[in-house]
Amino acid sequence: MRLFTRIVVYLSLAFCLCVNLSARSLMLEDLKTPYSTGFQTLILQDKSRTYKFKSLTQTSNRPIRLFIWYPTKQTNKANFLKYEEYVYSSSLIKDAEKLAHDEKEVLKSNFVKAVAYFEIKNEQAEYIFNSQTKAIKDAPAIKNKFPLLVFGNVGDGYYFSTMAEFLAANGFVVVSLPSIAINEGERCGFDLACLKLQQADMEFAIQTLQSYPSVDANKIGLLAWSFSGLAVAHLQMKNPNVRAVVSMDAATGYQYGKEILDQSKEIDFNKTKVPFLHLHGLDNARVPKNFDFFKSFQSAEKYFVTFKSLQHSDFLPLYGDVIRLAKNDEDKNAIEGTRWVNLLTLKFLNAYLKNNPKALRFLKSATNNKDESTSNIFSFASSF
């Protein structure tokens, strides 16, 4: 039995287990991880740029809020965070423990408004707030050096929390940061100006974290969903320490993304030699896809994975993991699909940021595999 088929059989058994929010959304508890997950946030200021808060009369330095997950020691007595603490940590002015009750309520209200598109009810939102994560706040970091993973700017920093926890427990330092406009109350549009703003924020995050004792700054992976993939594309071409890129149905696979990139003077496909994993799902007639970016990407190590039951929003962990579960969604193909998104991403990052030969063999085998056990979930290709 080939390696890929053996792994499929093993993981298929895992998919049949009953799960709760902390089990399913964070890390497939039936699969062993070498570490637990520590968590901390940082409010920083980029003194090279300005920002205007509505509540302040004067302009300030640009705020940068980093959500950081990292490997910590395994423990059976961990004091795991509740999900609501992620929401409270999204303030650009104060740390969560310094917030007054009314300030917390505003952040809760902002969360409910942000997910209103997905028809979340009040009791479902409360379920999310009170659910236990797999992150341990301010836990001691492992002293080894780990590759750094940076998520592209989307919404608030906790939007990627479930995947971030999973990756940190498997030996990565993971950072995400919100998408912030030029000033409070303004919108970061779908345009080149917003792209450059997000790129600068990610560059600031990398500059900050590259000196952390547990970070190997020579091994950086970039992950992106939706519009943030355009900033990631620019950053990858600019930073030689970026060794792998994951597109979670990012805008580099859409026509509108191509049109924005066509306006840029910084796109140079001669600098796209790093491994590239592009994940995408069902077509949406209102937002046409375009795969010219993938076709033009020069890496010999690129993978194109089509998920047959996932929509664009499923690739964002906030929806694909947390909201689907809170709504008691029983779409088994979608649940398995989001799990495979996590697992294929981990295999890819292990292969190219950790030089793991087993993970690389898995990817190579999966690319050519015709196994029927996953044919209703995804198809795998290296070119088309």
Side-chain angles (χ1 to χ4, degrees):
M1 191 180 295
R2 291 185 299 172
L3 171 66
F4 181 72
T5 304
R6 292 200 303 270
I7 294 175
V8 166
V9 171
Y10 175 65
L11 292 178
S12 294
L13 292 174
F15 292 151
C16 294
L17 296 179
C18 294
V19 290
N20 56 36
L21 178 61
S22 61
R24 172 183 144 198
S25 64
L26 303 183
M27 61 177 64
L28 306 187
E29 289 193 343
D30 46 292
L31 300 182
K32 299 295 183 181
T33 60
Y35 308 100
S36 289
T37 301
F39 172 73
Q40 68 173 165
T41 60
L42 294 175
I43 300 180
L44 305 173
Q45 293 185 345
D46 183 350
K47 297 180 180 179
S48 69
R49 296 179 290 164
T50 61
Y51 187 83
K52 180 69 172 64
F53 286 101
K54 289 181 177 180
S55 59
L56 301 177
T57 57
Q58 297 180 335
T59 57
S60 307
N61 296 323
R62 180 169 177 80
I64 305 290
R65 166 67 87 170
L66 302 184
F67 281 60
I68 306 167
W69 294 265
Y70 53 90
T72 189
K73 291 183 179 180
Q74 293 275 15
T75 176
N76 294 324
K77 298 181 179 179
N79 185 20
F80 295 119
L81 293 173
K82 287 186 176 181
Y83 196 89
E84 64 181 359
E85 295 188 57
Y86 281 150
V87 177
Y88 298 151
S89 296
S90 59
S91 169
L92 296 178
I93 300 176
K94 295 180 182 179
D95 288 320
E97 58 271 17
K98 296 180 181 179
L99 293 173
H101 176 75
D102 60 336
E103 292 172 318
K104 291 182 177 180
E105 290 301 307
V106 168
L107 293 173
K108 270 192 172 185
S109 176
N110 290 343
F111 172 85
V112 173
K113 291 176 182 177
V115 300
Y117 176 81
F118 303 113
E119 299 179 346
I120 283 286
K121 300 176 182 178
N122 289 338
E123 59 268 25
Q124 292 168 336
E126 284 297 325
Y127 174 79
I128 294 173
F129 293 143
N130 293 318
S131 295
Q132 191 181 73
T133 73
K134 280 294 180 179
I136 309 166
K137 187 173 183 178
D138 297 329
I142 301 291
K143 293 184 179 180
N144 298 346
K145 285 188 175 293
F146 300 97
L148 174 64
L149 303 180
V150 182
F151 279 102
N153 326 49
V154 171
D156 278 305
Y158 55 83
Y159 280 27
F160 294 104
S161 65
T162 55
M163 181 181 276
E165 291 171 10
F166 175 66
L167 294 172
N170 280 283
F172 296 91
V173 176
V174 187
V175 62
S176 71
L177 56 165
S179 179
I180 307 172
I182 295 179
N183 298 303
E184 186 178 14
E186 298 181 7
R187 183 175 175 272
C188 197
F190 285 62
D191 54 32
L192 197 59
C194 183
L195 181 162
K196 299 303 294 181
L197 194 62
Q198 291 188 345
Q199 178 185 346
D201 285 351
M202 281 190 284
E203 288 172 336
F204 185 90
I206 291 172
Q207 183 180 13
T208 299
L209 292 174
Q210 66 186 3
S211 61
Y212 270 45
S214 56
V215 167
D216 184 349
N218 295 315
K219 295 180 179 179
I220 298 174
L222 303 178
L223 303 90
W225 176 77
S226 202
F227 180 80
S228 67
L230 305 182
V232 160
H234 278 70
L235 182 54
Q236 179 270 307
M237 296 175 190
K238 184 176 180 180
N239 190 327
N241 291 326
V242 173
R243 306 298 177 87
V245 177
V246 179
S247 162
M248 295 151 57
D249 204 24
T252 48
Y254 284 86
Q255 178 62 29
Y256 84 90
K258 170 181 166 48
E259 292 172 2
I260 294 173
L261 291 180
D262 285 346
Q263 301 171 28
S264 172
K265 298 180 180 179
E266 298 181 32
I267 295 298
D268 182 357
F269 283 104
N270 291 321
K271 296 180 179 179
T272 57
K273 303 295 178 65
V274 304
F276 182 42
L277 173 63
H278 181 79
L279 312 171
H280 82 113
L282 300 172
D283 289 342
N284 184 330
R286 294 178 299 173
V287 188
K289 294 190 176 184
N290 184 302
F291 301 122
D292 286 353
F293 184 87
F294 182 87
K295 295 175 184 177
S296 300
F297 209 86
Q298 297 298 300
S299 175
E301 305 289 341
K302 62 180 183 178
Y303 306 89
F304 187 87
V305 186
T306 303
F307 284 85
K308 300 179 180 181
S309 298
L310 298 185
Q311 305 173 56
H312 180 60
S313 55
D314 287 314
F315 292 90
L316 179 67
L318 172 66
Y319 179 77
D321 290 331
V322 177
I323 291 177
R324 269 194 181 276
L325 191 62
K327 297 179 72 170
N328 198 27
D329 192 313
E330 297 181 354
D331 186 336
K332 293 182 179 179
N333 284 338
I335 292 171
E336 291 186 12
T338 55
R339 285 185 157 202
W340 275 103
V341 168
N342 287 335
L343 290 164
L344 290 176
T345 298
L346 175 62
K347 293 291 185 182
F348 175 79
L349 295 171
N350 277 341
Y352 294 110
L353 293 182
K354 294 185 176 181
N355 300 316
N356 185 308
K358 289 184 178 180
L360 184 58
R361 285 198 298 271
F362 173 86
L363 290 172
K364 297 297 184 183
S365 178
T367 302
N368 299 313
N369 184 70
K370 305 298 182 182
D371 195 286
E372 294 182 0
S373 59
T374 60
S375 61
N376 66 326
I377 302 172
F378 62 82
S379 60
F380 221 129
S382 57
S383 62
F384 56 91

